[in-house]
Amino acid sequence: MQIMIGSAKEMRAECNYAPKENTSPLFKDEALANAMQMSAYSEDELAGILKCNAAIAGENKLRFMRFTEHDNELQAILAYNGVVYKHLGTSDFTKEDFKYAGGHLWITSFLYGLLRPLDMIKCYRLEGDVVLPDNGCSMFDYWKARLTDVFIESVKNDDGVLLDLASSEMHRLFNWSKVKREITVVRPEFYVCKGGKLKTVVVYAKMCRGEMTRFAIKNRLDDADALRGFTYEGFRFIPQESTQTSPVFALE
């Protein structure tokens, strides 16, 4: 079973427990080309393109200008530091955990396309709807033709099952209808019961995605049915609300 999670805006360049093992991004050349295009924008232009404040724009102007330098790189699973990654909890990962993750986890990225956990990357900020001059299309469309078949093939080379724990926005990086036709996509849903109704609370959903990714890696899951044993802070499997490819977990 392969697992997919999305990247995060919050990033770090250093980690005191980073493993020695690392790999190189599959689409490293494309990432460099995209970064060079981003570096040509002024800070004011970046603020508009990235919909961020001046401080963040200035920080990322420097990041893109220094993108070719061979320092401040970190494994992707450690470089991203958002809610999902905090709950993935890599600080106690063993060498075997990192190795297993390296063969089973994919991370989607608007700059790098697809990453394996041990791929060395640099800090950046980019949005899916950004249209770069040399690309002539959004990052969603730029990556769609490049990623879809590679991704499908990687899942088929495992057991043909994908555990989809990324936000739905990340589906736009692929021809998602083709992905769903050619492999089995299992997408868990996480809800909070309010007033007798199941509702999505985004921060809880992100927490659970990170915790379930950890659960799958730590327990070396190779069967989607085993996900039913997942629990986190009161979230548990709700069989009457679930289907084979859409297991539901709720906090009641």
Side-chain angles (χ1 to χ4, degrees):
M1 183 170 66
Q2 296 284 290
I3 309 163
M4 181 176 76
I5 58 175
S7 54
K9 290 181 181 179
E10 186 177 343
M11 298 188 72
R12 59 184 174 182
E14 297 179 350
C15 179
N16 60 14
Y17 57 86
K20 294 180 180 179
E21 296 76 14
N22 63 77
T23 52
S24 183
L26 185 61
F27 297 97
K28 186 175 183 178
D29 291 343
E30 288 85 348
L32 176 59
N34 291 328
M36 292 303 94
Q37 291 183 74
M38 290 294 287
S39 71
Y41 288 114
S42 68
E43 290 183 21
D44 287 344
E45 288 172 325
L46 283 177
I49 291 169
L50 299 176
K51 302 177 181 65
C52 64
N53 61 37
I56 293 174
E59 178 184 40
N60 283 279
K61 172 69 174 177
L62 288 175
R63 285 173 169 177
F64 286 122
M65 289 180 65
R66 296 171 177 171
F67 203 81
T68 57
E69 298 175 6
H70 297 293
D71 59 349
N72 295 323
E73 290 185 326
L74 188 62
Q75 290 92 340
I77 197 172
L78 304 177
Y80 295 114
N81 201 33
V83 174
V84 170
Y85 293 85
K86 286 181 171 66
H87 284 265
L88 180 51
T90 52
S91 62
D92 69 351
F93 270 29
T94 64
K95 182 178 181 179
E96 289 72 27
D97 290 335
F98 280 116
K99 182 178 180 180
Y100 181 84
H104 292 83
L105 181 64
W106 285 107
I107 300 170
T108 57
S109 162
F110 296 131
L111 183 66
Y112 287 91
L114 276 172
L115 292 164
R116 284 300 196 182
L118 298 182
D119 286 348
M120 299 296 284
I121 66 172
K122 298 179 75 71
C123 292
Y124 68 93
R125 184 158 176 156
L126 187 57
E127 303 293 342
D129 58 1
V130 170
V131 178
L132 295 178
D134 293 349
N135 301 350
C137 61
S138 71
M139 298 311 300
F140 290 119
D141 290 333
Y142 173 84
W143 285 117
K144 191 173 295 183
R146 292 168 170 82
L147 302 186
T148 302
D149 290 342
V150 170
F151 188 55
I152 290 172
E153 191 63 24
S154 76
V155 178
K156 285 183 173 179
N157 286 340
D158 192 334
D159 62 356
V161 177
L162 172 69
L163 173 56
D164 175 19
L165 291 169
S167 67
S168 57
E169 178 188 39
M170 294 301 177
H171 296 169
R172 296 173 61 192
L173 289 168
F174 309 90
N175 180 341
W176 197 249
S177 59
K178 183 176 182 180
V179 170
K180 292 181 72 174
R181 283 197 309 270
E182 299 206 19
I183 63 175
T184 299
V185 178
V186 177
R187 182 170 177 79
E189 299 292 348
F190 305 99
Y191 298 112
V192 173
C193 187
K194 291 186 175 181
K197 295 183 178 180
L198 296 179
K199 297 183 179 181
T200 299
V201 177
V202 174
V203 67
Y204 286 145
K206 288 182 178 180
M207 290 176 178
C208 287
R209 288 176 189 144
E211 293 286 345
M212 182 170 281
T213 304
R214 175 182 173 84
F215 177 76
I217 291 171
K218 283 287 188 179
N219 291 284
R220 311 288 192 265
L221 296 191
D222 58 5
D223 182 355
D225 287 342
L227 293 171
R228 298 176 183 181
F230 170 78
T231 60
Y232 170 67
E233 296 293 328
F235 282 88
R236 62 179 182 83
F237 179 64
I238 310 297
Q240 63 270 26
E241 299 288 344
S242 301
T243 66
Q244 195 70 24
T245 57
S246 182
V248 169
F249 299 81
L251 177 63
E252 296 182 303

